[in-house]
Each structure stands twice: as structure tokens, then as C-alpha cells.
Amino acid sequence: MAGASTTPRAGILVTGTEVLTGIISDRNGPWVSVRLRELGVDAEMIEIVGDRPEDLLGALERMRAAGVSLIVTSGGLGPTADDLTADVVGRFCGREMVLDEPLAGRIEAIVKPMMARWPNADPEAMLRANRKQAVIPAGATVLEPVGTAPGLVVAPADGHVGAGAPTVVVLPGPPRELQPMWQTAVATDAFSAAIAGATEYRREIVRLYGLPEAEIAATLEAAAAGGLSLEALEITTCLRRGEIEIATRYEPSAQAQYDAMLAFVRERHGRMLFSADGSTIDEQVAALLTGEGVAGGVLGAGGGAGGGAAGTLAVAESCTAGLLAARLTDRPGASGYFLGGGVVYSNEAKTLLAGVPESLIASVGAVSVEVAEALAEGVAGRLSADYGIGITGIAGPGGGSEDKPVGLVCISVYSARDGRRITRSPRMPGGRADIRDRSVTVALHLLRRLLLGGADAAAAGADPLAG
Amino acid sequence: MAGASTTPRAGILVTGTEVLTGIISDRNGPWVSVRLRELGVDAEMIEIVGDRPEDLLGALERMRAAGVSLIVTSGGLGPTADDLTADVVGRFCGREMVLDEPLAGRIEAIVKPMMARWPNADPEAMLRANRKQAVIPAGATVLEPVGTAPGLVVAPADGHVGAGAPTVVVLPGPPRELQPMWQTAVATDAFSAAIAGATEYRREIVRLYGLPEAEIAATLEAAAAGGLSLEALEITTCLRRGEIEIATRYEPSAQAQYDAMLAFVRERHGRMLFSADGSTIDEQVAALLTGEGVAGGVLGAGGGAGGGAAGTLAVAESCTAGLLAARLTDRPGASGYFLGGGVVYSNEAKTLLAGVPESLIASVGAVSVEVAEALAEGVAGRLSADYGIGITGIAGPGGGSEDKPVGLVCISVYSARDGRRITRSPRMPGGRADIRDRSVTVALHLLRRLLLGGADAAAAGADPLAG
């Protein structure tokens, strides 16, 4: 690929025995990787190591040997004795450690008011522990603390290891500290120098729903066989939460190739391609409910769109028990269209909160198409919402039968405006968490279709939402 | 530390450009790390690299140079052209690639019935793509597919690189395939040979709530200064979701040191230490509600415990909008005590689903101690539950005021049996997601205390749940 060899490459080093041993999961590596790509810098690797100094130093040396020009570390800047990153990075860059007195003063000014929250703590021990955080490699650029830990940008000392040695950006572990400090780091001269020569890339994401990953492989094969030139496109496909994502990176000169590839995929996969602009199903549903429509997206079959669908939503969830509501309200501003709903785990809750008749549950069972429809319609009525969603299913591992196996989930979306509804009862693969998570994704896709004007009467045999 | 040098060390290699570039987050690295530790094997590093063969090979070679005796890979076994792990591992281990015909037949038998689900797909292209998955390194041990991809255990070929070369376990990327195949891998002779000599460790986790991480550092310092011997203990502390976790690993001979350390921590931090046996707050709440009590845990102040607290629970959530309900039902069997509740995002929902008087909301505002209490009591009444929880707050980023800033969350837990209640209105740090997540954790801790017999009248000034 033209220009690839000039792209600066980076290593991301996540430190922490608690991360390495699986006690907590890392969110920083992927986040920094995305930020680097936006700057035209490829992450060569993300490596997670423990807290011992030899682990850190070993990883830094492996990254230097792999030829990266920038290393970003996260973690190991806390007040406890196992927080050693600054010290090890200083050694790696050939710089002595010095106490930065003004910085120590600024950290103390941050810590002192916090101590009032912990009346039983020993203030001297806390200040001593926090003072350690002001010992930094000589000549490093300090990134002011967002919590109590300062970050650092450390270039190799003159004459140390040679001109090719990487610059190291040292950031704290908590994402809410790391993320704002990243912006500060990027603005420093030392950082700019380390990524000089980054190539400009474009990056596009296309999302499809309702087909297997192998078929995308076949489509890309057919595109190449049909004479389309894909060489200048770096294409990655992946299956996520039941959706397929095609991420493509390319230099601006390859725009025509990208457009041709996208047209080919759109031609072959029609309405299964629900997002051509990188928008997520969550974003599309929110845009439809607020009346903003689906900007730049693909509206799919069923016509209708935009402002006409705007309205309010209520949900009644049994097996997903709040996951759909929680996902809908991840987004700030959800209160503009989301009213609430019922977590209807018990049969009584289905009746009391969504008005499902007891007799219906007794005759067809709580996990049934009929109850899903009654939940959707009932909760919309109860909260006077324009749209309602009902979910009832068997998340397992227990509770399944031959007739209604684990993974069977009945999902219904309903429009109180005109009585349209779409109902499906797919059998979800995977364990309890997968089944619950996938059910929420299917509900969002059904809602999108309803908001775009679809209804069950129009559904065809080869329905991508059927399976 | 005695014995540490004999512990076999492993590298975990997660492949996939979609993981490296932050499109999807890795769940396999931490999971495999925990499984390895259970077997007495330390993960030396978890490394994430892209899909290009040179990335994979580079990472395998770095791990060999770091001296690991086992490498576990995940990903890159799919049907698309960017799935190359088997091929690269074959080269790394000095083994030729061969088509395993019987395996190809077994994969075809798996794929064929799946094709009915995708009536629009090209069956020949799918079979060709899946056939590639049966090309494996000669002499490798095959792990039967859970999805369509077989896993592998590949020992270095005789005479290849030398006796110290690592064995590679090759697993697919989807966690629901990887996890069962791990069990199969562990049972193979090639795996046993690679981890021969693993040291037996014990691993204990202690959890505290309501104090800063720096104070734990001070406590451990004081323990050492007071003459306790901590050298044989490998102690890691971390802050997670507002709780502090102290994870300690040690050889069985160091049991007395561990017991002494735990006694010291318990002595200094009293009821803030809520779990001495590794149980989570989620597990404790579930055990209390089912009447199993808190086995081996710390019951804390407030007396009472065990079977007496068993009962049913209902929740009414505004700003957390289903997160608490979803977390409570993560656990199979939650239907034994969790009835459901209201996602009361709008004011109307608070009134309609939990019976909060409109006049109360009008006079004190939706985010108030009074409304949190009315939600807890109202939802318990509505569903005839023994216990109720109400949460209302400002998750931001908008909607805050000087009086009621972003992060202010009012949380109340209520016992319908005897009218006891505990209510707090902490101001949570962080962004929208942090605020929502922490609110759920606080609610669980308040519920635990209520179930152990506590109530607001008994709350003291230095209350760990106040802040």
C-alpha cells in the first residue's frame, strides 16, 4: 500500500497486575488506539503487563526493538508502592528522577480538600504517598493531574540509545483521568516531534444486519473477481453483537475505489446494509425518535423516514430486565423521547406494570409471541407513549423446555399511533449474557424498521430479522 | 519470593485488527489469564496485534525471546482471507501446513445446516471459505469446533529452534467458542507437557467499601512497620467501581502471614471490609435475599444476618434506568427474589409505575431524597415486594444546577416488613456512565446494610456510605 511505510507506528503499554490477571478489564488500550489512528499513527501492538519494574522495562524494550517511534503507557501512577511507571520510564529514557517541588505543591493542593471526605484516614501517610507522585524524570514535560497523578511526555535523553529511541507518553490508569490528559499530551512539542510524518487516512465504517460473516468474504471476493480494485483499501470485517461491521481505511487518493466497493456491497446486500456512514443502530433509533431522521444513513426498505417517526417510547422487559432501557439511556438527551417502562421479571409485574391479562399468561405462557405483543402495547398505553417494545424470553441456563428452549426470545415493537406492529421470536445463540445482549440489539433493529414505516404484513420470507 | 522462578510463564496473544484498532474490545485476554493462574501459570503479558502475518509472527517471536513456555492465541481462525493464525503458528513451530480431510468433512457437516438460515448466500463460496479452516500444521492436536473453527495445540517440531521453544494453543476469537475449547485444550498431553512444574498458589481477594486507595497503602505500610512479615505475599490493590480490592497470591507455606495481614486490615478498617472471602457485593446481596446468608463473609455492623433477611425485591430507577435491574438479573436464579420494577425516567412514569405523588415531585423536585424514598416505598408496594430501592439523580452532562449538580444521586432502600429505610444522596465523580454505574454499586451496598439489619437512625457520622 502506497505511503504505509512512512506512517509512524506506536506501541500502547497498559500496566497493572490487576489488568494482567483479569481482575479488571482494560478500556485504555482500545481508546488510545482509536485516538492514534485519528492522528494517522498506527498502533503496532497493545501490550498488558504486570506492575513489577522488570515487566515494564521488558515491554518497553520489546517495543523499542519492534521499531515504534512512540509508546503510550497507562497506569502505575498511583500513590501505592506498586505504582512504578514514572521511575521505569525515566530509566528507559536515560533520565534521572527528580522531585518537582512546585508540582508536589500542586498535588498537595488537590489532595488536601479530598481528605475531609475520609475522616478516619491518616493525613500524613496520604500526603507522603501523594508526594511520591511528584518525582519525575528530569526534563520531562508534565501533564497536569486530572485526579491526583500527573502525566508525562518523556523524550529519550540526548545520546541515549540513539536517535531512533521512542518518546514515551505516560498517562494514569483511570479512563476519566487518562482521556482529558491525552488531549494535553497531544498538544505538546515532544509529542508532535515523535509523530512527525504521519500519513493522512480516511476511515469509513459500514454496518450490516442479518447475514453471516462468510458471505461478506464471498462478496469481497466477487468484487475483486469482477474487476474492482481493492488494493488501496485496508478492509477489516468483524461480527459484533450480531451485526457485521466493515471498517475500511484508505488514503484520500483511493476515494473512488472505496466508493465503488461500497456501491458493490450495497447492490448485493440491499436493506441488510443499515448504516453506510458509521452510525450505530443506537444512534439511528435516537435520530428517528427525535425527528432528525437518519443523516447520511441507509433508510432500507419500507419507505417513510425522518421527522414523521418522531415520538416517545416505553419498554417492558422480562428476560433483558432493564438492559434495553439502560442502553437507550446511555445517550445524553434520551429523556427527550424515552419515558421509561417496566422491568417485568415476574408474571405479576407483567400484569401490574404493563397490563398483560393474567389469563393470557396462563393460556399461552409468559414466553410467547402473544405476551410480547401485549407487553409492547400495554406499556405504551400505560405511559401514553407513541411506541412500545415488549421482550420476553428464556435467557437460561435453566428454564428451557423442548418446546421453548433456552435462547428463545419473543420481541415485539408496536406503534400506538396507527396500530402497526412487528414481532419476532428468534432463538439466540450463546450464554445468558449473549442472549440478553443480542435480544436488545434485535429489539433496536425491529424498532428502526417500525419507525421507517414497516409492519409485519409486509415482511417477506427471506427476512434478515427472522433468524 | 521463594519458588517464583519455577513457575511456568505464558504469553497471551490476541489477534485481530478490529481489536487492535479499538472497534471491538477484547474479553479473551483477561479470561485466559484467570484460567492460567488457576493452573499455577503466570501470564507474563497479554499482547494485542493486528491481522497481518508479520504482526503475528513478530509477537510470537517477542514472546519466545521473553522466555515463555506457553503461548495462547485467540482469533484469526475465521473463514475470511484475513484469518491467518493457524498458518503463522505452523511456521513459528516449524511445521508444514496440511489439509486435514476428516476435519474438513466435520466442518462441512456443521456449516451445511447453518446455510439454510441464509437463503441468499452463495453455498459454494461459504463451503470454500470454511474448508480453509481445516488446513492445519502437521502433527498438531485438533480441538473440535464449537462454532465452525477448530482450535489447535501445536508443540514445536523436533529440532526446531531448540528445546526451550514454546507450545502454542490456538483458539478462536468469539468468547463462547473459546471458553469451552479451552477446557479441551487443557486436557491435552501437549498442554500438560508445556506447563510441567507449575507451582501451587493460593489466591485470596478482600473487598472494602468507603475509603480511599491511599489509605490502604498506609495500612500496609503500618503493617510492615509494626513487624508483620509481608514478603511472601504478592499483594495488589485496585480501585474498582468505587470499591477497593486487595488481591493476594501466596504459596501454601505463607498462609500464616496472609492470615496475620488480613487480621490487621480487618482491625483497622472494621465494617468497611465487606468481603473477606472474595465474594462480590452482588453475590452477597443475592445470598441474603435467598436466605443463604453471607457464607464466610463479613457481616459488618448492624448485627442480624442470614435467613432472616430473605425476601423479594423491586426497584424503581430514574437516572440509572434499568442498570440496577439488569445487574441484579445478570445472575441465573434471580427470579427467585427479584420481581421487577419501574424504569421511571419521566416524571409521569414515577407517578404511574411507582405511585409517587405528582404534588411531591412538584414541591421538592424529581431529584430529591423525598422522591427516592417515595420510589423505594412505592415500587415495593406496587409489586408487593419485601424490599424496595429507589434511585433518582442527575447523570449529566446536562441538567445540573448549583443546588443540584451533575453527579448528585439520591438513593433509598426500604423494608416493607418493618418500615426501616436507609437513604443517601452522594455526589458521584466522573462522567455519565461512571455516575450511573457507581449509583448502582451504592444502591447494592445500602441494600446489603438494610438486609443485615441496619437503618438510618443508627447511622454514625463517619459513615462510609455517606460520600
Side-chain angles (χ1 to χ4, degrees):
Chain A
M1 210 181 55
S5 61
T6 67
T7 305
R9 292 173 310 129
I12 301 171
L13 176 55
V14 175
T15 71
T17 302
E18 69 275 21
V19 183
L20 179 62
T21 57
I23 298 175
I24 64 172
S25 67
D26 170 51
R27 286 163 52 198
N28 294 328
W31 189 89
V32 170
S33 181
V34 172
R35 297 292 89 72
L36 284 169
R37 278 177 84 89
E38 289 169 355
L39 299 171
V41 179
D42 276 353
E44 177 93 358
M45 76 285 280
I46 300 172
E47 187 166 349
I48 304 171
V49 298
D51 283 319
R52 295 178 309 175
E54 60 268 33
D55 296 335
L56 265 70
L57 198 58
L60 291 169
E61 279 165 1
R62 285 194 290 277
M63 290 184 181
R64 174 162 59 200
V68 305
S69 54
L70 180 74
I71 297 173
V72 181
T73 73
S74 88
L77 298 180
T80 55
D82 56 2
D83 292 311
L84 292 159
T85 304
D87 195 55
V88 172
V89 169
R91 219 185 317 159
F92 177 70
C93 291
R95 293 181 183 269
E96 261 180 272
M97 298 302 287
V98 293
L99 172 65
D100 183 329
E101 277 291 356
L103 177 60
R106 296 197 298 276
I107 295 174
E108 189 177 322
I110 296 168
V111 172
K112 272 204 168 148
M114 293 169 63
M115 295 192 334
R117 286 183 63 194
W118 315 108
N120 297 333
D122 171 359
E124 287 211 6
M126 283 187 68
L127 286 177
R128 198 165 54 241
N130 287 117
R131 197 171 168 82
K132 168 175 111 38
Q133 297 174 300
V135 178
I136 62 170
T141 304
V142 172
L143 310 170
E144 288 302 311
V146 170
T148 65
L152 301 165
V153 181
V154 193
D158 286 343
H160 181 66
V161 186
T167 291
V168 186
V169 178
V170 179
L171 298 170
R176 69 192 173 88
E177 298 180 26
L178 177 142
Q179 295 180 9
M181 288 169 79
W182 170 258
Q183 307 304 338
T184 313
V186 167
T188 62
D189 292 341
F191 187 95
S192 304
I195 69 158
T199 306
E200 187 200 342
Y201 284 109
R202 290 180 185 162
R203 182 155 181 266
E204 299 285 350
I205 291 177
V206 168
R207 295 194 166 85
L208 300 98
Y209 186 74
L211 75 173
E213 192 180 4
E215 206 186 322
I216 285 296
T219 294
L220 295 176
E221 246 180 55
L228 283 193
S229 150
L230 304 179
E231 295 85 54
L233 307 176
E234 215 178 299
I235 301 174
T236 312
T237 65
C238 81
L239 193 64
R240 173 153 73 152
R241 289 181 146 181
E243 298 172 351
I244 289 180
E245 219 170 61
I246 308 178
T248 310
R249 193 172 76 151
Y250 54 94
E251 293 182 35
S253 58
Q255 185 65 46
Q257 280 107 304
Y258 178 75
D259 294 342
M261 189 272 287
L262 175 58
F264 191 88
V265 172
R266 193 193 295 265
E267 168 77 26
R268 268 173 82 111
H269 298 296
R271 69 176 179 173
M272 294 171 192
L273 195 164
F274 71 91
S275 170
D277 64 349
S279 62
T280 61
I281 185 67
D282 307 64
E283 288 164 352
Q284 294 194 6
V285 162
L288 286 164
L289 288 170
T290 56
E292 292 158 29
V294 181
V298 173
L299 297 179
T312 55
L313 175 66
V315 302
E317 307 178 63
S318 182
C319 64
T320 55
L323 276 183
L324 172 59
R327 185 159 157 190
L328 286 163
T329 55
D330 272 347
R331 310 174 56 76
S335 59
Y337 46 86
F338 181 68
L339 302 181
V343 175
V344 292
Y345 215 55
S346 66
N347 287 351
E348 293 70 27
K350 292 178 181 65
T351 301
L352 289 163
L353 301 176
V356 179
E358 277 177 60
S359 57
L360 180 68
I361 298 174
S363 67
V364 294
V367 177
S368 59
V369 163
E370 293 84 349
V371 168
E373 293 186 344
L375 285 171
E377 192 169 341
V379 77
R382 184 66 57 102
L383 294 184
S384 304
D386 297 310
Y387 305 103
I389 301 179
I391 302 178
T392 178
I394 299 162
S401 66
E402 203 166 317
D403 215 34
K404 296 184 177 176
V406 168
L408 174 71
V409 182
C410 303
I411 305 170
S412 184
V413 297
Y414 174 76
S415 166
R417 289 191 175 159
D418 53 18
R420 280 179 302 124
R421 72 170 90 244
I422 309 176
T423 306
R424 293 290 179 274
S425 45
R427 182 166 171 197
M428 308 287 175
R432 183 175 174 88
D434 299 308
I435 290 166
R436 285 160 42 106
D437 188 60
R438 292 264 183 119
S439 300
V440 169
T441 299
V442 172
L444 293 173
H445 279 278
L446 292 178
L447 177 61
R448 171 181 178 276
R449 185 186 293 185
L450 186 82
L451 296 175
L452 289 171
D456 256 350
D463 186 335
L465 292 174
Chain B
M1 210 182 54
S5 61
T6 67
T7 304
R9 292 171 312 128
I12 301 170
L13 177 55
V14 175
T15 72
T17 303
E18 69 276 20
V19 184
L20 179 64
T21 57
I23 297 174
I24 63 170
S25 65
D26 169 53
R27 285 162 55 197
N28 294 329
W31 189 89
V32 171
S33 181
V34 171
R35 297 292 88 72
L36 285 169
R37 279 177 83 87
E38 289 170 355
L39 298 171
V41 179
D42 277 353
E44 177 93 358
M45 75 284 279
I46 300 172
E47 186 164 349
I48 304 171
V49 298
D51 282 319
R52 297 178 308 174
E54 60 268 34
D55 297 335
L56 266 68
L57 199 57
L60 291 169
E61 279 165 0
R62 285 193 290 278
M63 289 183 181
R64 174 162 58 201
V68 303
S69 54
L70 181 73
I71 297 174
V72 181
T73 73
S74 89
L77 298 181
T80 56
D82 56 3
D83 291 311
L84 292 159
T85 303
D87 196 56
V88 172
V89 169
R91 219 185 316 159
F92 176 70
C93 291
R95 293 180 183 270
E96 260 180 274
M97 298 302 288
V98 294
L99 173 65
D100 182 329
E101 276 290 357
L103 178 59
R106 295 197 299 275
I107 295 175
E108 190 178 321
I110 295 169
V111 172
K112 271 200 167 151
M114 292 168 63
M115 295 190 339
R117 286 182 63 193
W118 315 108
N120 298 331
D122 171 359
E124 288 212 5
M126 283 185 71
L127 285 178
R128 199 164 54 243
N130 288 115
R131 197 170 166 80
K132 167 176 114 33
Q133 298 175 300
V135 178
I136 62 170
T141 305
V142 172
L143 310 171
E144 286 304 309
V146 170
T148 65
L152 300 166
V153 180
V154 193
D158 284 343
H160 181 65
V161 186
T167 291
V168 186
V169 178
V170 179
L171 298 170
R176 69 192 172 88
E177 298 180 26
L178 176 141
Q179 294 179 10
M181 288 168 78
W182 171 258
Q183 307 304 339
T184 313
V186 166
T188 63
D189 291 341
F191 188 95
S192 304
I195 69 158
T199 306
E200 187 200 341
Y201 285 109
R202 291 184 184 160
R203 183 155 179 264
E204 298 287 349
I205 292 178
V206 167
R207 296 193 165 86
L208 301 97
Y209 186 73
L211 75 173
E213 193 181 3
E215 207 187 320
I216 286 297
T219 293
L220 295 175
E221 247 180 55
L228 284 193
S229 151
L230 305 178
E231 294 85 54
L233 307 175
E234 218 178 296
I235 302 174
T236 312
T237 66
C238 82
L239 193 63
R240 171 153 75 151
R241 288 182 146 182
E243 297 172 352
I244 290 179
E245 220 170 61
I246 308 178
T248 310
R249 192 171 78 151
Y250 54 94
E251 295 183 34
S253 58
Q255 186 64 48
Q257 280 106 305
Y258 178 75
D259 294 341
M261 190 273 287
L262 176 58
F264 191 89
V265 171
R266 193 193 294 262
E267 167 77 25
R268 268 174 82 113
H269 298 295
R271 69 175 180 176
M272 294 169 192
L273 195 165
F274 71 91
S275 169
D277 64 348
S279 61
T280 61
I281 184 68
D282 307 64
E283 288 164 350
Q284 295 195 3
V285 162
L288 286 165
L289 288 169
T290 55
E292 293 159 28
V294 180
V298 173
L299 296 177
T312 55
L313 175 66
V315 303
E317 307 179 62
S318 182
C319 63
T320 53
L323 278 183
L324 172 58
R327 187 160 156 189
L328 285 164
T329 54
D330 273 347
R331 308 173 58 75
S335 59
Y337 47 86
F338 181 68
L339 303 180
V343 175
V344 293
Y345 216 55
S346 67
N347 287 349
E348 292 70 26
K350 292 178 182 66
T351 301
L352 289 163
L353 301 177
V356 180
E358 277 178 61
S359 57
L360 181 68
I361 298 174
S363 66
V364 295
V367 177
S368 59
V369 163
E370 292 85 348
V371 168
E373 293 185 343
L375 286 170
E377 192 168 339
V379 79
R382 184 64 59 104
L383 294 184
S384 305
D386 297 310
Y387 305 103
I389 302 180
I391 302 179
T392 178
I394 300 163
S401 65
E402 204 167 314
D403 216 32
K404 296 184 176 176
V406 168
L408 175 71
V409 182
C410 303
I411 305 169
S412 184
V413 297
Y414 173 76
S415 165
R417 290 190 175 160
D418 53 17
R420 281 178 303 124
R421 71 171 92 243
I422 310 176
T423 306
R424 294 290 180 273
S425 46
R427 183 168 171 195
M428 306 288 176
R432 184 176 174 87
D434 299 307
I435 291 166
R436 282 159 45 106
D437 187 59
R438 292 264 184 120
S439 300
V440 170
T441 300
V442 173
L444 293 173
H445 279 279
L446 292 179
L447 177 61
R448 173 182 178 276
R449 186 185 294 188
L450 186 82
L451 296 174
L452 289 172
D456 256 349
D463 186 335
L465 292 172

